[in-house]
Amino acid sequence: AKVNLWNLYGAPAVDRTISASMVLTPQRIQFSSYPDYTFVDPLFDQAKPPKVFTDTLADAKTDKNGEAQFDLNLERFDKATWELTFSAQGFESEGGRSVAAESTALVSPLAYFIGYKADGDLRYIKQNDKRSVNFIAINPQLKQQGVENLKIQLAALQPVTTLVKNADGTFQYQSVIQTHVVESKSFAIDGTGTD
């Protein structure tokens, strides 16, 4: 992260202390450029509860251009998609007065995200009705791109009810959803999206 600090009259603020901190929050993936599309993070693990990380970074001094650099060292955190909030404070040469700035960005180790948009509700489809789903892939600049060597699967979800024994010795029925892959085939998304 790079911070620029300037004096009130427009010259770079040289040799000033900058303090900084960052917060990493698990983030639902959505983009205002693609409001109708649903994006899913393949790195998200539902078995692990989401964690929020807060870190205070070591202070830095501005150089002759009024700039200071901070190494966020993001590789030490779990591979996931995060909302990164970076906060910095630049101090006067004497005294404790300061100015502050904050910036937020979505960070991810992934080269692209895949999103989909259906032409109707996918939670309930009447028998013999049709639905079409449009898939797109977007890069970190939020531009659509083509992606090869994907796999698309059609799966059936079936509830299975079993009788289980409780800790107190009583029995009760419990339903578990089982997934059965019906069809699996190669898939590619072109630069303008694929239905």
Side-chain angles (χ1 to χ4, degrees), residues 160-176:
V160 175
T161 303
T162 58
L163 193 60
V164 293
K165 187 175 184 177
N166 294 325
D168 63 1
T170 61
F171 290 88
Q172 86 178 49
Y173 286 102
Q174 179 180 4
S175 290
V176 177

Side-chain angles (χ1 to χ4, degrees), residues 43-65:
L43 300 174
F44 179 72
D45 186 357
Q46 291 182 347
K48 291 182 183 177
K51 295 180 184 176
V52 175
F53 295 97
T54 303
D55 193 13
T56 301
L57 305 170
D59 288 352
K61 290 279 191 181
T62 56
D63 62 14
K64 63 181 179 172
N65 299 319

